[in-house]
Amino acid sequence: MLQPFKTLARDHPVVRAVLLRALARLRRLAHAPPGLYTLCYHRVPERHRAGFSAQIGYLQRHGRFVGADEAVTLLETGTATAGRHFLVTFDDGYADTVEVALPVLRAAGVPAILFLVSDWLDAPPANPPGPYADRAMVAAWLAAGMAVGSHSCSHARIATLGDAAAGREIAGSREVLAAATGVPIRHFACPWGVAARDYRPGRDPDLARASGYATFFTTRRGVATGARDLPALPRHVLEPEWPLHEIDALLGARLARR
């Protein structure tokens, strides 16, 4: 029943802004239930540095930031629901993640994980929306205490691939990235991340687990509360320029009636 409204909001930015402004009148992040909220960013251009910083500061007032490994521990031990926890993730490996987002994160003392497409380390797409981080930038990211994970070998739509090719995208990228960075690769974020369309729920999380990953991140919105969420972890896709009331609308919970 809600799908027509979601489609309308996705395809019409003005309509989306109006709907989220109205929704924010009913929802607040301060009322969101406990658990793990994973945030998914892509680009953070210089012109949106201030917006990104404002979002991080706002979230910091409503919960505790954790790294990916700590998030797994919270879920496995059942302690994720002891509070509200936020995990910051970045997909694709854009250079501005290191150049713009990293200084903001370091100033705030916030950990994050960058999901890299292994083939793009040395051969990024010919017509990208922005430059990608090279090996030196990835090294700087790691030296700052941040983590890296896999976003597949080639950013393929894994659901369309046969078993062997899907295995290469998932397991092969882990091996390449571990060799390139010198650190274990424990986390996998599925490209696009929609069940059935972008990955096969009955196959691909199992392939990830069998190849040594602790997590399989999707783009389904929601809050993770226990170990059962690890094979299909929800994430909230955000843009750094979104105003703070949209954070309330998207992550928050309905205000209690008086």
Side-chain angles (χ1 to χ4, degrees):
M1 184 176 179
L2 292 176
Q3 191 56 44
F5 293 98
K6 292 181 179 179
T7 301
L8 184 66
R10 182 195 65 206
D11 296 340
H12 298 83
V14 174
V15 174
R16 175 189 178 280
V18 171
L19 289 174
L20 288 179
R21 174 73 71 176
L23 189 59
R25 297 173 65 89
L26 304 173
R27 298 165 65 90
R28 292 289 188 278
L29 184 57
H31 292 261
L36 175 69
Y37 294 77
T38 301
L39 317 172
C40 174
Y41 291 94
H42 290 82
R43 293 205 61 207
V44 185
E46 177 61 45
R47 66 183 182 277
H48 296 316
R49 181 193 293 260
F52 177 66
S53 180
Q55 290 180 2
I56 293 296
Y58 188 63
L59 291 161
Q60 208 160 29
R61 295 196 295 273
H62 291 91
R64 185 172 72 92
F65 282 97
V66 298
D69 287 345
E70 184 179 357
V72 171
T73 299
L74 289 170
L75 294 172
E76 289 181 337
T77 59
T79 55
T81 54
R84 199 180 293 122
H85 309 278
F86 299 113
L87 169 61
V88 180
T89 73
F90 296 89
D91 282 4
D92 299 343
Y94 291 103
D96 54 31
T97 301
V98 181
E99 296 169 337
V100 180
L102 179 57
V104 173
L105 296 168
R106 293 188 69 180
V110 171
I113 183 168
L114 174 58
F115 288 109
L116 296 166
V117 180
S118 60
D119 287 355
W120 294 358
L121 272 179
D122 298 314
N127 297 303
Y132 289 89
D134 57 20
R135 289 175 181 254
M137 286 184 174
V138 173
W141 173 265
L142 289 169
M146 303 299 172
V148 295
S150 170
H151 201 38
S152 79
C153 282
S154 66
H155 208 280
R157 182 161 272 119
I158 297 173
T160 66
L161 303 178
D163 293 350
R168 285 193 295 271
E169 287 287 335
I170 295 171
S173 60
R174 181 174 185 265
E175 296 170 2
V176 171
L177 289 171
T181 63
V183 299
I185 305 299
R186 302 188 63 237
H187 307 281
F188 183 83
C190 180
W192 297 290
V194 177
R197 188 192 73 183
D198 304 319
Y199 72 93
R200 301 184 194 178
R203 180 193 67 177
D204 298 327
D206 289 340
L207 285 174
R209 184 172 61 252
S211 60
Y213 292 103
T215 59
F216 187 98
F217 286 92
T218 73
T219 55
R220 172 181 59 86
R221 290 190 181 276
V223 56
T225 58
R228 64 185 178 278
D229 293 308
L230 290 170
L233 279 163
R235 287 197 295 171
H236 294 266
V237 178
L238 302 179
E239 297 294 342
E241 69 270 25
W242 288 353
L244 297 181
H245 71 263
E246 294 193 4
I247 303 296
D248 278 322
L250 294 169
L251 274 68
R254 184 175 292 273
L255 299 173
R257 292 184 178 180
R258 295 181 180 179

